[in-house]
Amino acid sequence: MDKEAGCCSTHLIEGDGTFNAEGLDNFIKQVKLAECGLSYAVVAIMGPQSSGKSTLLNNLFHTNFKEMDAYRGRSQTTKGIWMARCAGIEPCTIVMDLEGTDGRERGEDDTAFEKQSALFALAVSDIVLINMWCHDIGREQAANKPLLKTVFQVMLRLFSPRKTTLMFVIRDKTRTPLENLEPVLREDIQKIWDSVPKPEAHKQTPLSEFFNVEVVALSSFEEKEEQFKEQVASLRQRFFHSIAPNGLAGDRRGVVPASGFSFSAQQIWEVIKANKDLDLPAHKVMVATVRCEEIADEKYSFFVTNQDWCDLEEAVQSHIVPGFGSKLSSMIDACLSSYDEDATYFEDSVRSAKRKQLEEKLIQLVHPTYQLMLEHIQLETLDKFKKSLHDALTGELGFANAARDCMGSFIRIFEEQCKDATIKQADWDSAKVRDKFSRDIDSHIAEVRAAKLSELNALYESKLKEALIGPVEALLEGGGDDTWPTIRKLFHHETKTAFSEFSIALSGFEMDEKTNEEMLLKLENYARGIVEGKTKEEAGKALYRMKERFTSLFNHDSDSMPRIWTGKEDIRAITKTARSSSLKLLSVLAAIRLDEDVDKIGDTLVLALVDHKKDTSTSVSSRDPLASSTWEEVSATKTLITPVQCKSLWSQFQRETEYTITQAIASQEANKRNNNWLPSPWAIAALVILGFNEFMTLLRNPLWLLVIFVGYLLSKALWVQLDISGEFRNGMLPGILSLSTKFLPTVTNLLRKLAEEGQKPVSANSQRTPSNPPHMLGNFQGVESSTGSSNVTMENGPEYTSPSRHVKEQ
């Protein structure tokens, strides 16, 4: 059983001629025949029924075919055709056990299956064993002669017959040596060959052209079993490497690859069954078709795995391959030439058809790579075009000329590279790719043109913005009668300059006149938008600008110096001037006047807001000119502040500036009061009359004059130190409170200084008269000249400061 393991016996063809295709496919999978390629052999055995064919195969190839039970009598054992794998023989060898001939079960007239099975065996086998009895050799009516005639006849009808090895196995050899039996057998075989009718082409063809004849002899299995097994074991060795040169089937021809064995065997049997007379001309086309397909598949597979093709395919994945078309065309030519060489002996029409199919498959295989190559050409050429155009635009060449020159140059380069990538076996049209490349170039040129125009437009817009926004803002802040004429003059000058330069720059793009005008108009609208936008911005801050203008004019004189309200200023006139200027600013911001249109906004505002009292005195029944949402002769699109809004702004402006005016008036009154220290005349007269007695007392006693004089000096010093006039500028009550906190520290400080001066020794001043003590003269000299200062300077002593300053210094 161990020897028979793996033989996988399969009933290939039933006794009624049914082909077991499913069983054959399973058999091929079990023995892994498809992996053998051409390295396999097929052995078949034929011979009379009950001649021991199955027994021989089981002993020779370790198969497990069913054998006849001699004890039950002689009868048919094998029906149809069985097949199995020869165990332990390399390369893979398949053996077929054919139904025996000359069996009583089929009768004398039913020989069709014998012929069909014999033809099938010759068509698929490399070695055919013919089992025959030793006692039939030399006999005219031996059982093997009809079998040999059948073999030779069907062999001649095969298209391109295989070179088959016929091994005659002589069973139950007698004492006659094989050297004597073999010549007789070969002579009988030659006679049978000569007697078989042959086609005209093979009338003179020797037997050796179709067959290799081998003769072996075996002892009787029943009588000399041990000797039989030894002889079979020796014969078995001849089947090892049978397809190698000098092997049993070393010169075989037309071998079907193992992967196609199932199909080939099935087709051969179908043809054989369909042609009962064994006329097989159609098999020529079938074999040619199968073989040419196999060769084409083989060449296609070789091409796919060819290292040159793999390297080329891999290289195209990343970049352009120079000479792509010529290299690939050469590979395809080599593949087709190899096919022609291997398929040269097959039928022309089939060979040509399969060649065309192979060529189409190869073209279909390389088409994606060709498309990828065109994509690389398109992308890389487009990238180079973009770089070249960018470099050309950095020079002095105009955009249109640069784009035109680069486009023409790179279209020629693209066409040359497409031509280099063309495969001569394919008639592919690259017009679509060329059109797409042209569209991509046009699209990029349009994109760059738009970007350059946008960049150019942005450049001149920024120039206009820089030239207009600052001056316009300054002019609007000035808000005078000449504001809008000056803005118009500035606007026209700057736009004219920008238009001139912009037109020169646009000339390099070679655009039509309409497009040029549209771009110039767009630039002009942008400049106008700058002025209008800035005006709207300033109009939004109208109240702030008016208050700022009023404050500036009200609080500063004509020399821009801060105004001091001394009491001599005409606050009414100053207020009127400042308000008029603010009103002028409001009229300037009320509307946009870039166009030289005449309006009466300023006069209307003056009439309604400044001179309204005069207007109401002359015409009481006249309506309010500001009771409207539009200005006369001014469109709504140019109106920034409506008449109603102007009236509201002016009312708010007056309310918010009243405090400034009130403060100015209060300051002026306070200065007047501070500068007038003398009492009124009636008070002076009352003092003279009522104080006459006291005055006479002073004249009678001069010592009182000294006391009064010293008191005056002390009072003057305190006045200066306390800065009484300065304290009362802010009002009576704040002055009293401030002086109450400063009085005692100032008196204390003053007395301390006087005491320190009195303790100093008398030196240089000792010659002075007793009536003028040095410390008295030194302490009070120069007091009268210090009325405008807060410091008291002693002649020969230190400087005295007010208590407040003394505290700050500490």
Side-chain angles (χ1 to χ4, degrees), residues 36 99 136 157 169 223 256 291 319 336 348 373 387 401 445 458 487 495 602 618 651 653 679 695 707 710 732 769-770:
C36 297
E99 180 182 319
D136 285 338
R157 290 182 177 274
V169 181
E223 296 177 3
V256 177
R291 286 295 299 137
H319 61 273
L336 294 176
D348 291 341
M373 180 69 178
K387 185 177 183 302
N401 291 330
I445 291 175
I487 291 176
T495 52
T618 57
S651 299
F653 166 74
F695 178 72
V707 173
V710 172
M732 182 63 69
T769 60

Side-chain angles (χ1 to χ4, degrees), residues 554 557 562-574 664-665 667-669 671-672:
F554 188 79
D557 57 18
R563 197 185 299 276
I564 299 176
W565 304 105
T566 61
K568 300 176 181 180
E569 296 83 7
D570 187 355
I571 293 180
R572 183 179 295 277
I574 294 172
I665 295 173
S667 297
Q668 195 177 56
E669 293 296 329
N671 280 329
K672 287 180 180 181

Side-chain angles (χ1 to χ4, degrees), residues 9-175:
S9 297
T10 301
H11 200 176
L12 180 62
I13 299 176
E14 302 287 344
D16 58 357
T18 302
F19 192 91
N20 185 10
E22 182 178 357
L24 177 59
D25 291 337
N26 292 332
F27 172 80
I28 291 175
K29 290 179 181 179
Q30 290 177 0
V31 303
K32 298 180 180 179
L33 180 63
E35 300 176 3
C36 297
L38 299 177
S39 182
Y40 74 101
V42 180
V43 179
I45 188 169
M46 59 180 65
Q49 180 176 301
S50 302
S51 60
K53 299 186 298 300
S54 299
T55 302
L56 174 61
L57 293 179
N58 291 338
N59 284 273
L60 182 61
F61 297 116
H62 299 166
T63 55
N64 58 358
F65 293 123
K66 183 180 180 181
E67 299 179 8
M68 182 188 71
D69 187 355
Y71 294 103
R72 295 183 179 182
R74 308 183 69 82
S75 61
Q76 187 182 50
T77 305
T78 303
K79 295 182 180 180
I81 300 175
W82 286 72
M83 70 184 306
R85 177 180 178 177
C86 301
I89 294 181
E90 294 295 335
C92 180
T93 302
I94 306 300
V95 62
M96 294 192 302
D97 188 7
L98 274 64
E99 180 182 319
T101 60
D102 197 21
R104 64 181 180 83
E105 285 80 4
R106 292 192 179 271
E108 296 181 3
D109 299 327
D110 190 6
T111 60
F113 185 80
E114 293 179 6
K115 294 180 181 180
Q116 291 172 353
S117 60
L119 178 57
F120 179 78
L122 290 173
V124 301
S125 302
D126 303 305
I127 303 170
V128 177
L129 303 179
I130 298 179
N131 200 45
M132 61 184 302
W133 300 111
C134 180
H135 55 76
D136 285 338
I137 298 176
R139 295 171 59 188
E140 185 65 25
Q141 301 296 327
N144 64 325
K145 285 190 176 182
L147 176 61
L148 289 176
K149 288 182 180 180
T150 300
V151 170
F152 293 155
Q153 287 174 355
V154 299
M155 190 66 180
L156 290 174
R157 290 182 177 274
L158 284 176
F159 162 67
S160 183
R162 300 164 61 94
K163 187 70 175 290
T164 305
T165 298
L166 293 179
M167 178 175 283
F168 290 87
V169 181
I170 302 174
R171 304 293 299 276
D172 296 349
K173 185 178 77 68
T174 60
R175 295 180 180 179

Side-chain angles (χ1 to χ4, degrees), residues 374-375 377-383 385-386 389 407 411 414 432-448:
L374 291 185
E375 290 179 9
I377 293 174
Q378 177 185 349
L379 293 176
E380 291 191 19
T381 308
L382 185 60
D383 290 340
F385 167 79
K386 292 178 180 179
L389 180 61
M407 182 177 182
I411 283 182
F414 177 78
K432 292 183 178 180
V433 180
R434 190 178 296 107
D435 293 341
K436 186 178 185 303
F437 179 71
S438 299
R439 290 195 302 271
D440 290 342
I441 285 184
D442 292 338
S443 176
H444 180 69
I445 291 175
E447 182 180 343
V448 174

Side-chain angles (χ1 to χ4, degrees), residues 15 23 26 81 97 113 143 189 219 277 352 453 463 466 477 553 578 624 684 708 722 752 804 810:
N26 292 332
I81 300 175
D97 188 7
F113 185 80
I189 294 171
S219 300
D277 57 357
S352 299
L453 288 175
K463 287 184 177 180
E466 183 179 357
E477 287 180 0
L553 294 177
D624 185 359
I684 295 174
I708 292 172
L722 294 175
R752 181 174 58 80
S804 61
Q810 288 178 347

